[in-house]
Amino acid sequence: DAGVIQSPRHEVTEMGQEVTLRCKPISGHNSLFWYRQTMMRGLELLIYFNNNVPIDDSGMPEDRFSAKMPNASFSTLKIQPSEPRDSAVYFCASSNGARGTEAFFGQGTRLTVV
Amino acid sequence: AQTVTQSQPEMSVQEAETVTLSCTYDTSESDYYLFWYKQPPSRQMILVIRQEAYKQQNATENRFSVNFQKAAKSFSLKISDSQLGDAAMYFCAYRSAGSNYQLIWGAGTKLIIKP
């Protein structure tokens, strides 16, 4: 298995632009997570999907952030409009949801908003 | 609410020696899971070891082992025969057995391996 695949690996964009991050979870996994990592705040859970349905989006910082999971093999995290404070590493992770199983992480997208 | 504390921002160890990374947590639950993840400079989060709270036996994975003290709410990671490739950030994480998703993370410990 190729693991969780995220694209792009790096993204540099200007303030105000729309940014879309993509994730392909591990085949067969029914849980998907989007995390944000910064030096100041560490790892933060943004949103959690189970069977393609958003279960908990309480970590989404504001309305500028949105996430979708149209099918079991694809998810997007969109920021519109982007701001410099959105600069961070964004991780996607998936798990099979069974009791006690760990989450498998993608390699992350480093987003820089200038 | 559960919390996870890693009190060592940075640790260093000589190659081939043993190092222990500390993690304490706070919870009122009796059934939960604890994890150690490694994040090397490549950025990817990699699971190192997992412990089920209901198991008294400490988990081991090759050179990695844990000292799980449930009463003390302590979950330390021991790395034996340290190798240069072990250099990374190490994160301790907690997950309730009642929830299949919410991971509570520590702040991380940066491990430096001295050749």
Side-chain angles (χ1 to χ4, degrees):
Chain A
D1 197 317
V4 176
I5 300 173
Q6 290 187 246
S7 64
R9 287 291 312 276
H10 306 273
E11 177 79 35
V12 180
T13 190
E14 291 185 348
M15 183 174 63
Q17 296 298 306
E18 177 180 297
V19 175
T20 299
L21 311 182
R22 297 173 176 79
C23 174
K24 176 179 168 53
I26 292 173
S27 178
H29 282 189
N30 62 354
S31 297
L32 184 138
F33 316 86
W34 282 100
Y35 285 92
R36 179 171 67 177
Q37 186 180 36
T38 61
M39 289 294 292
M40 291 296 294
R41 301 171 70 93
L43 270 160
E44 304 172 274
L45 177 67
L46 299 178
I47 188 168
Y48 157 63
F49 290 88
N50 185 248
N51 292 324
N52 312 338
V53 176
I55 302 300
D56 182 357
D57 65 355
S58 60
M60 296 287 264
E62 48 198 274
D63 292 345
R64 298 184 297 107
F65 286 68
S66 62
K68 293 182 179 180
M69 193 165 184
N71 57 61
S73 59
F74 183 65
S75 178
T76 59
L77 177 68
K78 184 179 293 186
I79 308 172
Q80 166 64 17
S82 58
E83 297 182 2
R85 60 193 170 113
D86 302 330
S87 298
V89 178
Y90 291 81
F91 286 101
C92 176
S94 71
S95 76
N96 66 19
R99 177 184 166 91
T101 55
E102 69 270 23
F104 293 82
F105 283 74
Q107 289 193 297
T109 295
R110 180 176 293 281
L111 173 65
T112 303
V113 183
V114 297
Chain B
Q2 296 85 14
T3 59
V4 176
T5 302
Q6 292 180 251
S7 58
Q8 305 154 318
E10 186 174 296
M11 292 281 286
S12 63
V13 63
Q14 205 72 35
E15 192 177 3
E17 294 187 346
T18 296
V19 65
T20 298
L21 308 184
S22 300
C23 173
T24 58
Y25 57 95
D26 189 26
T27 184
S28 59
E29 299 174 329
S30 59
D31 195 9
Y32 49 86
Y33 300 88
L34 296 164
F35 305 88
W36 278 99
Y37 277 86
K38 168 185 177 181
Q39 186 177 34
S42 66
R43 210 167 62 206
Q44 186 161 11
M45 298 287 282
I46 303 165
L47 180 71
V48 174
I49 201 164
R50 174 180 61 223
Q51 175 78 42
E52 291 90 342
Y54 62 85
K55 289 187 177 179
Q56 290 188 330
Q57 187 174 7
N58 289 326
T60 62
E61 287 287 343
N62 301 315
R63 298 182 295 107
F64 298 86
S65 61
V66 299
N67 183 5
F68 173 49
Q69 301 289 328
K70 191 172 183 180
K73 297 178 183 176
S74 171
F75 182 60
S76 60
L77 175 70
K78 185 172 82 171
I79 306 174
S80 304
D81 185 25
S82 300
Q83 300 175 359
L84 294 177
D86 295 333
M89 285 290 292
Y90 286 81
F91 293 91
C92 179
Y94 168 104
R95 188 173 77 200
S96 167
S99 164
N100 67 353
Y101 68 95
Q102 186 67 280
L103 276 168
I104 310 299
W105 297 88
T109 296
K110 182 178 181 180
L111 179 62
I112 298 168
I113 311 294
K114 298 178 182 177

